[in-house]
Amino acid sequence: MPSERDVLAPYGEHLRRAQKMELVSNLAAGVSHHFNNLLMGILTASRLAARSLDEGHPALPYLAEIAAASDRGADLTRRLAALGRPATEHARPMRVGDVLDSARDVLRALLGENVRLEVAIEAPDALLLADPDQLQQALVNLSLNAAEAMADGGVIALSARTVHLPKDSGALLPGMAAGPYVELVVRDTGRGMDTQTRARVFEPFFTTKGGGTGLGLYIVYGIVRALQGRIDVDSDLGHGTTVRILLPVHHPVEPTGAAEPRKPRILVVEDERLIRVTLRHTLALHGFEVHIAADATEARELFDALGDVDLVLSDMVLPGKNGSELARELSALRPGLRVLFMSAYSRELLLQQGRITPSQRTLEKPFSEETLMMAVSELLGVEPKPRS
Ligand code: ADP
Ligand code: MG
């Protein structure tokens, strides 16, 4: 078993690691962003090209190939970026007891018979503000590593308790506030790690296993840091491994009259998944709250559920109801609603066909991030903000 000494890495070491990981995920996010913009261009251009060809033209299948390949590329980059910096938009308050219960259910099904799972929950009612799927994934990744380190069987002990980190605590990393934390520990009786391995476990693609991806702990690291927590590994060869996660306890706040001004809320309606996802990513980086819908029906549902939307950014051609019909419907519900249309057709054509009126704003696809931000900021009457 690992020694009982404090497993928290010293501040300096942790900070260096945090900076290194920050760099990696910045890089992944940056590359993914540029790449997605590029792919949006490729996709739109191939679609436009396909449209200008007669049915049965021999180039059509190739254009479809181009579109499919860029779609796959976008999916890949998006997933890579999401690994290092998981979105916390699906975060909700949840009980620690429920988190561990659902992880236990999944693990029972995954772990072999020679691995015993022990779960000890001291603070089942403490609340965390997190995406339940992400937390479950973190616990599952850690437990699978533990199981893989115990080929001959052993014990995985999952535990949860609350700890208080005072202002002067050395455990507080930048961005972590003093106060109560939930401490989640995954401990195994496996083969442990040597010093060199332990120093690199959080790096993406670092693996000592034949078929390993080296992404398990990288993902967990991203999840924990996105929740303003910390993760530490203590391990010695032959003496098992202890992974300790600290996450801030969530205190639900009573709504007060003077609420903080909320971010401008944008509803994006676009049937092309890639463009939808790219737009969400871009707008969110510029500080907007973004909701996405694939068609008018989904948009209407979201619009009703949200109660308050500042801008609808809608594609013109949609399956079912088109963009202008949707805009009319929503504007009837909320007079004065701001709408921005996007279309691969030219503005002149849309005007000619009577699909838009001269006062309605449009963006011609493909458009650049700058053009988009100019139009959105203008419509919302906010200063264009640099991306964060
Ligand atoms: P993968 O499991 O695909 O190798 P991870 O990021 O999950 O990728 O883990 C990286 C490496 O860290 C593993 O290859 C292994 O060497 C080491 N490791 C992680 N967890 C443990 C553990 N509980 N016991 C021993 N070694 C571990
Ligand atoms: Mg793993």
Side-chain angles (χ1 to χ4, degrees):
M1 292 293 282
S3 59
E4 273 304 321
R5 75 188 152 83
D6 197 2
V7 301
L8 298 179
Y11 185 74
E13 185 190 313
H14 208 298
L15 195 63
R16 271 193 302 282
R17 189 174 80 204
Q19 283 164 345
K20 187 166 74 179
M21 299 303 290
E22 203 43 27
L23 197 73
V24 172
S25 55
N26 274 343
L27 196 72
V31 168
S32 145
H33 177 75
H34 286 302
F35 219 74
N36 272 343
N37 268 341
L38 223 135
L39 289 167
M40 175 172 164
I42 297 177
L43 200 75
T44 318
S46 59
R47 195 140 288 149
L48 283 173
R51 216 173 272 154
S52 66
L53 296 178
D54 292 328
E55 212 178 307
H57 192 285
L60 280 174
Y62 299 117
L63 288 170
E65 280 298 322
I66 293 175
S70 18
D71 212 12
R72 281 200 302 277
D75 194 51
L76 209 70
T77 43
R78 189 177 47 78
R79 275 194 288 163
L80 191 64
L83 287 184
R85 182 161 301 152
T88 45
E89 63 198 293
H90 298 299
R92 60 169 177 79
M94 65 186 122
R95 293 174 62 252
V96 167
D98 295 339
V99 173
L100 276 122
D101 282 346
S102 73
R104 172 166 41 196
D105 290 343
V106 174
L107 286 168
R108 283 235 169 90
L110 288 176
L111 297 174
E113 289 196 336
N114 58 351
V115 172
R116 193 166 82 237
L117 183 65
E118 289 174 359
V119 181
I121 314 172
E122 253 179 56
D125 295 319
L127 290 181
L128 288 170
L129 185 65
D131 179 334
D133 294 338
Q134 284 177 4
L135 269 194
Q136 181 174 313
Q137 187 185 12
L139 291 173
V140 168
N141 286 4
L142 295 175
S143 305
L144 287 181
N145 279 346
E148 283 159 5
M150 305 191 291
D152 303 325
V155 179
I156 300 178
L158 286 184
S159 64
R161 57 172 188 155
T162 48
V163 295
H164 187 84
L165 298 186
K167 260 212 307 283
D168 56 358
S169 166
L172 292 174
L173 298 176
M176 287 170 72
Y181 279 77
V182 172
E183 185 194 56
L184 297 169
V185 176
V186 181
R187 174 175 297 196
D188 68 60
T189 56
R191 75 171 87 89
M193 298 174 231
D194 57 26
T195 329
Q196 288 100 313
T197 303
R198 202 179 57 209
R200 301 191 57 194
V201 286
F202 293 112
E203 290 176 18
F205 309 116
F206 174 79
T207 180
T208 57
K209 299 169 193 167
T213 61
L215 288 174
L217 287 175
Y218 177 64
I219 292 170
V220 179
Y221 183 93
I223 292 172
V224 171
R225 284 307 284 157
L227 297 173
Q228 262 98 47
R230 67 177 283 165
I231 178 167
D232 292 270
V233 172
D234 185 41
S235 184
D236 287 308
L237 257 192
H239 293 282
T241 298
T242 300
V243 181
R244 183 170 307 205
I245 293 174
L246 287 169
L247 296 173
V249 169
H250 173 63
H251 296 287
V253 277
E254 298 298 318
T256 60
E260 224 181 84
R262 64 166 178 78
K263 294 177 178 179
R265 189 177 280 166
I266 301 179
L267 176 58
V268 175
V269 195
E270 164 69 60
D271 57 328
E272 184 61 53
R273 197 189 58 80
L274 172 59
I275 300 182
R276 199 161 63 227
V277 170
T278 313
L279 285 172
R280 173 170 67 187
H281 184 65
T282 310
L283 290 165
L285 280 176
H286 283 273
F288 295 102
E289 182 187 316
V290 193
H291 299 266
I292 52 177
D295 58 27
T297 316
E298 220 180 290
R300 174 65 199 270
E301 273 165 21
L302 262 176
F303 190 83
D304 291 341
L306 289 167
D308 210 359
V309 168
D310 299 300
L311 173 73
V312 174
L313 173 59
S314 177
D315 191 19
M316 221 30 177
V317 182
L318 292 166
K321 238 177 241 171
N322 67 35
S324 40
E325 287 167 326
L326 172 69
R328 260 199 302 280
E329 179 183 327
L330 299 183
S331 300
L333 293 169
R334 186 94 29 82
L337 176 72
R338 279 158 288 197
V339 178
L340 176 58
F341 290 117
M342 17 178 202
S343 180
Y345 295 113
S346 73
R347 180 174 171 81
E348 289 69 50
L349 191 75
L350 294 174
L351 278 167
Q352 244 173 46
Q353 296 180 338
R355 288 171 181 252
I356 54 165
T357 60
S359 65
Q360 278 174 325
R361 297 289 307 265
T362 52
L363 287 173
E364 221 165 285
K365 285 180 181 172
F367 45 82
S368 68
E369 179 173 339
E370 262 179 347
T371 312
L372 170 70
M373 293 324 301
M374 290 277 285
V376 167
S377 315
E378 202 186 307
L379 271 165
L380 287 172
V382 296
E383 286 287 305
K385 245 198 273 172
R387 30 201 227 103
S388 53

